[in-house]
Amino acid sequence: MSYNQENIRNFCIIAHIDHGKSTLADRILELTSTVAKRDMEDQLLDNMDIERERGITIKARAVRLNYKAKDGNDYVFNLIDTPGHVDFNYEVSRSLVACEGAILIVDASQGIEAQTLANTYLAIENDLEVMPVVNKIDLPSADPDRVCNEVENIIGIPAMDAPRISAKMGTNIDEVLERVVTDIPCPKGDNDKPLKALIFDCFYDSYKGVIIYVRVLDGEVKIGQKIKLMATGAEFTVVETGYMGATDHVNAGVLHSGEVGYITASIKYIGDTKVGDTVTDAENPCDEALPGYREVNPMVFSGIYPADGARYGDLRDALDKLQLNDASLSFEPETSVALGFGFRCGFLGLLHMEIIQERLEREFNLDLITTAPSVIFKVNLTNGETVYIDNPTNYPDTAVIASAEEPMVKASILSPSDYVGNIMELCQGRRGIFKDMKYLDETRVELHYELPLNEIVYDFFDALKSRTKGYASFDYEMLGYMPSKLVKLDIMLNGDIVDALSFIVHADNAYARARRIAEKLKDNIPRQLFEVPIQAAIGGKVIARETVKAMRKDVLAKCYGGDITRKKKLLEKQKEGKKRMRQLGTVEVPQEAFMAVLKLDE
Amino acid sequence: MKNIGLYIHVPFCVRKCRYCDFYSVTDLSLTDLYTAAVIRNIKAYGYGFDTVYFGGGTPSLLTPKQIGAILSAAEIAPDAEISMECNPNSVSENYLREVRLAGVNRLSFGVQSFDDNELKMLGRLHDSVQAVAAIETAKKVGFDNISADLMLAVSGQTFESLRRSLSTVAKLPLTHISAYMLKVEEGTPLAADEDLLAKIPDEDDTADMYLEAVKKLGNAGFEQYEISNFARDGFECRHNLKYWRCEEYLGVGPAAHGFIDGARFACPKDLNKFISSEIQETVTLDEGGSAEEKAMLALRLVKEGLPLDEYPDAEKRGEILIKSGLLKKENGTLRLTPEGCLVSNQIICRLIG
């Protein structure tokens, strides 16, 4: 098909988890015959196992579709599938910039959720045409009129004539495609200007090097062209360029303004290609880079250790490999007295952390012990120096601390109004500062709180879900640092500090937290030959104490008919069990104990 | 020719007990063919024996004639200990008299408990009256080496019911007691019975019941010589001592185990195969007699213990265990205290390996 900018539509889909984004994408792919039926598998755009299982999109992806509209013209659709989670807020914003429009999917029974709202505002801020679609009309609980009203009232865009569809059943999908043609504007780039393209995603391919996904704003990119990445200043020669078919890349040799596609240029390090950066012609550069580029910095840190110390090398290799595709993952070697050799890893947020841990365990078959997540604390020392602490072990002695600060977030929580009391109680318990509350309709409210990031990195989301029967949704953005009364809490087993269990906590919460941790440890450390005292202390002063009683009996097998194999098996089992234990002084601590202290909310 | 032990596994039971996962079948029509196969094997191996042990299953389901045929086929030392396990309900006075004449000189009754409630929960076929009667009859017909098995921490057991069982033991003409703790084995009916499982005493009570049993049995003249075994002076089970001392024994019959020439072997759990084979098939398990295995077994013998000259590291490793009363050092050996017996797996792991 010949190039005609007016027949291009670049759009993304905004939806809350489970509202049907990937299913709609699948239906669109089918209807445009982009994917042969035989290649069709559910959630085609979500390549990673974790994405398919959790129904979330971690990496952005894009696909080009050809659509013959009812007006008789052929259109090129570029569907950019964006991550929906707050951890990847920056990536989301860059994907949005690559589009002229966004399909907003709203569940016909559940209505708008916090994340949808956040991403919709982001789309509107970036001047995207937002096109609502009401999905899951096949559900008995569907109430499309109410949901359309909600969209109009809350977001302020017309929605009464929004397509009402069932992506699952394939109902009214063609209406969505027609509306993409009529409602979403075409790109308005200048093909004659110097090349200006936005990087909205990139990944590493072991044969081609880094493959960058771009939206060309102005100009053209061609094979053999010398390109420059403006933020990093790196220059490369284009080896391949083209567009993304549903299952493979099509090397078209050129990308024009308004088009979405990929570039390979023998790029070895993913660190050279940053999402949000501008690609231009090295010899004939554009005047200025696209606005909005920034470095993404990890917000949450945690120690990751192999359960089996011998697999330290494997863990390093695995992290190296993940980093090839995920420049936002940072890690450096760390040593713990309790856990041995491991890595201090930095993540964009909680989901990012969970995903990395899960991928390490699944894709690399590693058994991990992770320490409690920590944020970066800002500590002003008495000598005038300021230090940033991402590992509780390195927290300075109280004597040299003048003041301390911790990062805050602005949290937005959407929930049925029945649970407001529970939510407020939770947020107060987490040192939240109430900002405002507004009713979206008679039954749903939006609450705003300022919360210390440190209070939500543990188990806030789980706690919120359990207090609202799973109905509340939650979103946050960074606010900056605020002075805080922080203390370092140490955990001692049999009198010895276990470094991997130390953490920073607000002084007012220290006692409650200390008690919970001591109880959790007591429940998770098996009885041993000797009594094990568990103590939680601040600066040497014990504030909570529990005791694991001494073991009274282990399993005695009857040695019957001269069969001593049962005894040997018991002994082997005992040894096997010992292997899964960490020997801390005289105390054996199972891995689970380290994990259990991460989940303190019941 | 040196004499070794002979273990004969008699894999017949009238019914299986709820907690039991040892091999047995309920088709009693095969006992003749089984006896013939045992005799073939004993002759083929050609060893001499100074201890013989009929275990099961239920050996008392064999007739005195069958027992006699097996014993006369074996080369048995004149002073040999010849033990036989019996179920209290399957033996008459006549039966006991005849097996004694056939050569058996030690009986081990699967009493398990003298409390009818506990016996019912275990799924045993006898009651306490039958158990008492069987032991007294055995004495009457001339047995002067009689053992009883007791189980500790079974469903429904209380300190009171345990004490009652133990005081009954003290009054009976018994010379030996094996006191085992109930272990719930996977796949047994007990393991699937929530109700019965809930009635098993907890860890602390179980431990205290064991200690109570050790004490009460000691008071009654049964000195502990192994983690689970107690005997009047001179009545330790010579056959079982062979197991703990890493001495040789031949196992005959489906599911029997043996230890000969440094190799441990097992016979498949298959009665039909055993009967139809000229010589029983055996599976070599591993090399027996490793230092670790020896130590594991030696520690069980609480009157002999782990010889420190053979395990020089153990003393240092055991220091803290001695201090806390789980081990004691005597005559150059480390021995488990009753409290130590309860956590012997942990202790073995700490001392060796």
Side-chain angles (χ1 to χ4, degrees):
Chain A
M1 194 176 15
S2 63
Y3 163 72
N4 177 359
Q5 195 167 239
E6 281 173 17
N7 289 355
I8 296 176
R9 297 291 181 273
N10 298 319
F11 62 97
C12 58
I13 303 178
I14 296 173
H16 187 69
I17 290 170
D18 283 342
H19 282 194
K21 179 171 75 169
S22 297
T23 317
L24 177 61
D26 286 351
R27 288 299 93 78
I28 293 177
L29 292 177
E30 272 174 23
L31 219 70
T32 54
S33 310
T34 305
V35 189
K37 272 273 186 211
R38 65 186 154 79
D39 290 333
M40 196 65 208
E41 49 183 321
D42 281 352
Q43 302 186 12
L44 195 77
L45 288 176
D46 294 336
N47 288 337
M48 280 187 243
D49 286 346
I50 302 176
E51 292 184 322
R52 282 179 201 217
E53 274 168 35
R54 296 194 177 194
I56 51 171
T57 303
I58 298 165
K59 294 280 286 176
R61 241 169 293 272
V63 63
R64 176 161 164 169
L65 324 157
N66 296 314
Y67 178 63
K68 193 172 185 69
K70 289 185 179 144
D71 63 10
N73 294 323
D74 290 317
Y75 289 87
V76 170
F77 287 179
N78 288 303
L79 166 56
I80 298 177
D81 193 23
T82 61
H85 194 271
V86 54
D87 283 4
F88 308 101
N89 220 4
Y90 174 71
E91 280 85 346
V92 179
S93 75
R94 294 307 88 195
S95 308
L96 292 177
V97 172
C99 304
E100 277 76 33
I103 297 177
L104 167 66
I105 303 183
V106 187
D107 184 300
S109 55
Q110 290 181 24
I112 293 177
E113 304 282 353
Q115 258 168 43
T116 338
L117 204 56
N119 286 337
T120 306
Y121 288 144
L122 209 54
I124 293 170
E125 273 169 38
N126 284 291
D127 294 326
L128 265 63
E129 182 68 35
V130 176
M131 184 187 122
V133 166
V134 180
N135 189 23
K136 302 199 185 180
I137 55 162
D138 56 309
L139 292 183
S141 56
D143 187 354
D145 286 340
R146 178 181 66 79
V147 168
C148 288
N149 256 321
E150 201 176 86
V151 172
E152 294 198 340
N153 292 340
I154 299 170
I155 304 174
I157 54 174
M160 287 324 285
D161 65 339
R164 298 176 179 197
I165 68 164
S166 163
K168 194 173 126 203
M169 317 296 286
T171 316
N172 292 341
I173 308 296
D174 50 343
E175 197 187 331
V176 177
L177 296 175
E178 281 299 314
R179 294 289 282 271
V180 168
V181 171
T182 55
D183 290 14
I184 293 178
C186 67
K188 294 184 180 63
D190 186 341
N191 206 47
D192 298 326
K193 278 195 179 172
L195 171 65
K196 185 192 254 186
L198 169 80
I199 301 180
F200 64 87
D201 197 10
C202 47
F203 70 94
Y204 187 83
D205 178 283
S206 44
Y207 297 104
K208 296 178 178 172
V210 178
I211 299 181
I212 49 182
Y213 282 6
V214 293
R215 156 71 197 272
V216 183
L217 278 305
D218 292 320
E220 288 180 345
V221 57
K222 290 191 188 93
I223 290 174
Q225 186 178 2
K226 253 191 123 182
I227 52 167
K228 181 179 175 178
L229 310 184
M230 294 179 81
T232 58
E235 294 190 7
F236 302 96
T237 304
V238 175
V239 175
E240 244 186 64
T241 185
Y243 59 87
M244 286 72 84
T247 50
D248 52 359
H249 291 131
V250 180
N251 185 1
V254 61
L255 280 179
H256 307 93
S257 77
E259 288 190 316
V260 172
Y262 74 97
I263 300 171
T264 69
S266 304
I267 305 169
K268 288 196 186 73
Y269 304 105
I270 204 151
D272 285 335
T273 58
K274 306 218 162 173
V275 169
D277 196 0
T278 307
V279 183
T280 191
D281 189 295
E283 267 119 45
N284 181 22
C286 56
D287 302 343
E288 51 180 355
L290 291 155
Y293 169 78
R294 66 178 166 87
E295 289 271 344
V296 285
N297 294 314
M299 305 301 302
V300 177
F301 292 80
S302 134
I304 296 189
Y305 294 81
D308 175 2
R311 300 203 61 195
Y312 173 76
D314 295 340
L315 175 59
R316 190 191 46 227
D317 293 348
L319 285 167
D320 272 335
K321 280 194 183 123
L322 288 183
Q323 203 180 40
L324 275 180
N325 268 325
D326 184 353
S328 54
L329 166 68
S330 72
F331 62 93
E332 55 185 53
E334 174 182 87
T335 321
S336 150
V337 179
L339 301 176
F341 292 101
F343 295 92
R344 192 89 198 148
C345 300
F347 310 96
L348 296 176
L350 294 179
L351 180 73
H352 189 215
M353 176 173 81
E354 245 180 84
I355 288 165
I356 296 291
Q357 288 170 0
E358 207 167 315
R359 291 188 67 189
L360 287 170
E361 298 199 323
R362 259 199 231 199
E363 293 170 30
F364 300 92
N365 205 15
L366 288 160
D367 213 349
L368 303 175
I369 300 179
T370 46
T371 64
S374 170
V375 302
I376 305 178
F377 296 101
K378 193 170 156 188
V379 182
N380 306 307
L381 303 177
T382 45
N383 65 5
E385 225 183 292
T386 295
V387 289
Y388 289 88
I389 304 293
D390 65 23
N391 184 346
T393 312
N394 303 331
Y395 204 73
D397 194 86
T398 36
V400 300
I401 298 177
S403 66
E405 297 174 41
E406 64 178 326
M408 301 292 290
V409 302
K410 184 178 147 196
S412 149
I413 299 166
L414 255 63
S415 164
S417 45
D418 301 353
Y419 305 113
V420 165
N422 292 351
I423 295 170
M424 289 185 152
E425 198 185 323
L426 171 67
C427 290
Q428 250 144 35
R430 302 296 176 108
R431 298 189 280 129
I433 304 161
F434 176 78
K435 297 316 270 187
D436 60 51
M437 174 171 92
K438 59 176 188 246
Y439 273 81
L440 302 179
D441 56 32
E442 303 86 70
T443 57
R444 283 157 51 82
V445 291
E446 182 180 18
L447 290 120
H448 285 116
Y449 268 92
E450 281 178 20
L451 282 157
L453 180 61
N454 195 37
E455 292 287 341
I456 60 171
V457 293
Y458 289 97
D459 50 7
F460 183 80
F461 197 55
D462 290 342
L464 180 66
K465 285 280 174 195
S466 70
R467 279 165 180 72
T468 60
K469 297 200 172 135
Y471 282 117
S473 56
F474 163 67
D475 196 12
Y476 65 89
E477 60 185 87
M478 292 300 160
L479 268 182
Y481 281 85
M482 202 170 92
S484 183
K485 251 177 19 188
L486 300 169
V487 292
K488 180 184 174 198
L489 192 65
D490 288 317
I491 305 294
M492 297 186 284
L493 293 180
N494 212 11
D496 299 324
I497 291 179
V498 181
D499 59 357
L501 292 176
S502 296
F503 61 97
I504 310 299
V505 62
H506 191 266
D508 295 350
N509 289 0
Y511 281 80
R513 188 69 64 82
R515 266 199 304 278
R516 289 290 297 125
I517 289 205
E519 282 164 16
K520 274 271 181 178
L521 284 172
K522 184 192 170 196
D523 293 343
N524 281 278
I525 295 175
R527 290 166 77 162
Q528 334 219 330
L529 283 179
F530 320 100
E531 195 177 273
V532 179
I534 300 168
Q535 292 160 303
I538 297 172
K541 186 187 161 215
V542 174
I543 61 167
R545 188 194 158 100
E546 291 282 345
T547 305
V548 180
K549 284 201 289 176
M551 171 195 275
R552 295 292 309 281
K553 90 171 223 316
D554 53 28
V555 187
L556 304 180
K558 188 171 178 181
C559 177
Y560 209 84
D563 176 6
I564 67 157
T565 54
R566 283 172 193 243
K567 289 216 166 53
K568 280 194 178 168
K569 269 184 209 143
L570 274 179
L571 218 54
E572 289 308 317
K573 227 170 128 184
Q574 182 97 15
K575 281 196 212 155
E576 207 45 53
K578 241 180 145 67
K579 265 195 217 157
R580 297 200 42 97
M581 299 277 201
R582 293 274 159 168
Q583 186 81 38
L584 305 182
T586 52
V587 185
E588 287 171 348
V589 182
Q591 291 170 31
E592 298 78 51
F594 291 96
M595 310 306 278
V597 298
L598 304 184
K599 305 251 179 218
L600 293 181
D601 188 70
E602 312 250 75
Chain B
M1 186 176 57
K2 70 176 171 181
N3 287 320
I4 63 171
L6 170 63
Y7 175 77
I8 300 165
H9 191 78
V10 186
F12 301 101
C13 277
V14 174
R15 184 182 86 190
K16 224 165 156 75
C17 301
R18 279 194 191 108
Y19 55 88
C20 178
D21 75 334
F22 290 103
Y23 178 69
S24 68
V25 297
T26 47
D27 180 359
L28 303 184
S29 68
L30 296 171
T31 54
D32 269 334
L33 289 170
Y34 163 81
T35 304
V38 171
I39 291 170
R40 278 203 303 280
N41 276 287
I42 289 173
K43 285 186 170 157
Y45 278 106
Y47 293 107
F49 305 103
D50 56 3
T51 66
V52 179
Y53 195 102
F54 289 92
T58 313
S60 49
L61 289 176
L62 294 184
T63 63
K65 214 174 136 199
Q66 288 165 330
I67 300 274
I70 291 170
L71 288 175
S72 39
E75 195 76 43
I76 296 176
D79 62 342
E81 173 195 271
I82 301 174
S83 304
M84 178 179 155
E85 291 179 349
C86 295
N87 262 3
N89 63 312
S90 64
V91 290
S92 65
E93 182 174 336
N94 222 8
Y95 180 88
L96 292 176
R97 187 170 284 125
E98 284 180 41
V99 291
R100 185 164 174 272
L101 287 174
V104 175
N105 55 25
R106 182 175 180 275
L107 292 180
S108 173
F109 283 104
V111 173
Q112 316 311 355
S113 166
F114 287 100
D115 180 280
D116 288 341
N117 178 42
E118 290 170 23
L119 287 169
K120 213 181 280 168
M121 295 214 204
L122 286 168
R124 299 292 298 193
L125 289 165
H126 65 273
D127 60 23
S128 58
V129 174
Q130 283 175 313
V132 169
I135 291 163
E136 281 171 345
T137 310
K139 178 71 184 171
K140 185 175 149 198
V141 304
F143 282 100
D144 48 20
N145 191 355
I146 307 170
S147 176
D149 281 358
L150 289 182
M151 292 187 88
L152 301 173
V154 299
S155 304
Q157 192 165 50
T158 62
F159 285 93
E160 209 207 323
S161 68
L162 173 65
R163 276 180 212 124
R164 273 203 309 270
S165 278
L166 292 171
S167 62
T168 308
V169 163
K171 285 179 216 143
L172 289 168
L174 291 164
T175 51
H176 185 278
I177 296 292
S178 295
Y180 298 104
M181 263 178 233
L182 174 70
K183 176 167 180 277
V184 181
E185 300 286 355
E186 261 175 67
T188 57
L190 172 62
D193 193 324
E194 296 291 333
D195 194 39
L196 285 178
L197 290 177
K199 292 191 173 112
I200 295 176
D202 69 12
E203 176 177 342
D204 284 315
D205 280 350
T206 300
D208 287 334
M209 284 178 177
Y210 176 83
L211 295 177
E212 175 84 6
V214 172
K215 196 172 108 194
K216 283 265 152 57
L217 287 169
N219 291 345
F222 298 92
E223 199 184 351
Q224 182 175 27
Y225 69 97
E226 196 264 348
I227 286 180
S228 304
N229 286 290
F230 305 79
R232 295 194 187 279
D233 195 21
F235 286 93
E236 292 86 359
C237 178
R238 282 161 52 196
H239 182 79
N240 282 345
L241 282 173
K242 285 193 157 78
Y243 300 158
W244 317 129
R245 288 177 179 156
C246 265
E247 292 172 2
E248 291 184 312
Y249 52 96
L250 171 66
V252 173
H257 282 242
F259 176 46
I260 290 172
D261 288 337
R264 297 201 174 270
F265 64 89
C267 309
K269 298 176 177 181
D270 186 341
L271 177 60
N272 289 320
K273 199 175 200 179
F274 175 72
I275 286 172
S276 59
S277 307
E278 181 60 28
I279 299 298
Q280 67 183 8
E281 185 189 315
T282 58
V283 180
T284 303
L285 300 171
D286 57 13
E287 294 213 352
S290 70
E292 186 175 307
E293 184 189 283
K294 265 189 174 159
M296 168 185 104
L297 296 170
L299 264 175
R300 297 187 64 98
L301 292 171
V302 297
K303 283 162 75 181
E304 298 180 10
L306 187 74
L308 284 171
D309 53 348
E310 287 176 45
Y311 298 88
D313 285 356
E315 183 164 7
K316 176 115 195 64
R317 290 170 173 227
E319 226 166 55
I320 184 165
L321 300 167
I322 295 171
K323 261 187 216 145
S324 48
L326 298 171
L327 276 181
K328 56 188 178 194
K329 193 180 151 197
E330 265 176 40
N331 293 341
T333 65
L334 288 182
R335 299 176 190 177
L336 293 172
T337 63
E339 287 81 6
C341 287
L342 282 162
V343 287
S344 57
N345 291 347
Q346 299 276 335
I347 292 177
I348 292 163
C349 281
R350 277 187 183 246
L351 290 183
I352 10 174

